[in-house]
Amino acid sequence: LMRTKIIPVIRLNDMDTSKKPLNLAVRAFFDNKMPQMPAFSPSELETHTLYFIEQTDIETTIKIISTLCAQRLPRSLNLNQTDIQVICLAGKGPLGAKKLNMLLQERLNKRNGGLKHNGFIFRVNEKISQTVDNAAKKLSYGQTGMIKAIDMHKKAVHAVFNKQNVTYAFNELNEIKPAWAMPINKVNGAHKVVILPLHCDAYTNLNRMALYSVFTSTGHALIIVGQKRAFKIAMDNNKIKKRYTG
């Protein structure tokens, strides 16, 4: 169809992203020109874009991630929770998105009450993600926002997605879920600061393509918390999983 010239065609010949600091760092990593990442220091977040906090213990890793989200990043850099995104390589497991979502919800938005729906508890100031495309609401799959009000009388949840006000009726709540932590395959767009838990426990998900997906979902800075061994395994594994569909 493109060769017939019946319809207008625009051809992308080149995409220059080399001037962005994170992309320079990513290119250095994938070209094996950067032997190690700098240790994390909030005061240096404006000059570096990649950090590694080495930790082998899973429970301590969770505590570090929780403290980064709740205290260190918001206080030192004046970030709000929509600027920070925990991205996991897996949905399940001790460092999977499901478990971390529950733990971070309790740490970052613990309060009495809330609206229970489909196994989740939605509260005011809850970080949420859109789970389906919704043209009427002008929202795409994977977008994140914050709940600003829950009207029990009118049975409505009011949220904000990138300065856009969105209202969900209670019967539309299947379209959203808590998003304190998200698996990489559910992420859409770039987030200012990304935190990646990385451990050999998620061995089957450790591959170079997964790391690259996390890098490209990062707008400014990426903080990896976990094992250097897991990072090396992922970098060395360039195999692409086959997909089987019936």
Side-chain angles (χ1 to χ4, degrees):
L1 183 60
M2 294 174 64
R3 282 195 290 265
T4 63
K5 298 183 179 181
I6 296 175
I7 60 173
V9 175
I10 298 175
R11 186 179 300 277
L12 178 64
N13 294 319
D14 186 34
M15 184 169 61
D16 183 10
T17 60
S18 59
K19 295 182 180 180
K20 295 183 179 180
L22 182 64
N23 287 321
L24 286 173
V26 170
R27 183 173 297 179
F29 265 106
F30 280 82
D31 289 344
N32 296 317
K33 295 179 180 178
M34 186 183 292
Q36 61 183 14
M37 283 180 281
F40 175 68
S41 172
S43 62
E44 298 178 350
L45 198 57
E46 295 302 321
T47 57
H48 293 96
T49 56
L50 284 169
Y51 302 87
F52 201 107
I53 302 176
E54 188 172 8
Q55 180 54 244
T56 59
D57 181 69
I58 290 180
E59 292 304 318
T60 305
T61 297
I62 294 172
K63 291 178 181 178
I64 291 172
I65 292 172
S66 179
T67 302
L68 283 171
C69 293
Q71 299 174 6
R72 295 184 68 181
L73 292 174
R75 290 179 183 177
S76 61
L77 297 169
N78 196 30
L79 298 175
N80 57 49
Q81 292 302 327
T82 56
D83 296 323
I84 307 166
Q85 184 61 58
V86 177
I87 296 180
C88 307
L89 296 187
K92 299 179 180 179
L95 288 175
K98 185 176 181 179
K99 181 177 180 179
L100 285 180
N101 222 338
M102 295 173 60
L103 295 173
L104 290 173
Q105 183 185 46
E106 286 300 303
R107 177 73 185 273
L108 301 173
N109 197 31
K110 186 175 182 179
R111 60 183 69 198
N112 294 329
L115 176 63
K116 294 183 179 180
H117 179 81
N118 200 26
F120 301 117
I121 299 178
F122 296 109
R123 304 182 177 106
V124 174
N125 292 329
E126 192 73 45
K127 188 174 184 179
I128 56 174
S129 67
Q130 179 74 14
T131 61
V132 295
D133 292 329
N134 190 319
K137 288 181 169 54
K138 298 180 180 179
L139 291 175
S140 301
Y141 173 90
Q143 279 189 258
T144 57
M146 299 289 286
I147 292 177
K148 293 303 180 182
I150 299 176
D151 191 330
M152 301 300 290
H153 178 68
K154 294 184 179 180
K155 296 184 177 182
V157 172
H158 304 285
V160 175
F161 287 80
N162 192 27
K163 297 181 181 180
Q164 175 190 348
N165 294 318
V166 178
T167 297
Y168 295 91
F170 281 6
N171 61 5
E172 296 178 307
L173 293 182
N174 286 336
E175 293 189 10
I176 60 174
K177 65 190 306 184
W180 302 106
M182 297 177 67
I184 183 58
N185 62 320
K186 305 292 184 183
V187 175
N188 182 12
H191 300 267
K192 188 171 183 179
V193 177
V194 168
I195 301 173
L196 170 67
L198 198 62
H199 197 276
C200 291
D201 183 78
Y203 184 83
T204 57
N205 298 94
L206 297 176
N207 60 79
R208 182 177 286 225
M209 185 56 68
L211 281 185
Y212 185 77
S213 296
V214 176
F215 286 148
T216 55
S217 297
T218 304
H220 179 72
L222 171 64
I223 304 168
I224 300 177
V225 186
Q227 295 175 303
K228 288 185 177 179
R229 179 168 173 261
F231 181 81
K232 185 179 186 305
I233 291 171
M235 286 293 290
D236 292 341
N237 182 9
N238 203 24
K239 296 179 181 178
I240 300 176
K241 290 183 178 180
K242 293 183 178 180
R243 297 182 63 185
Y244 298 95
T245 57

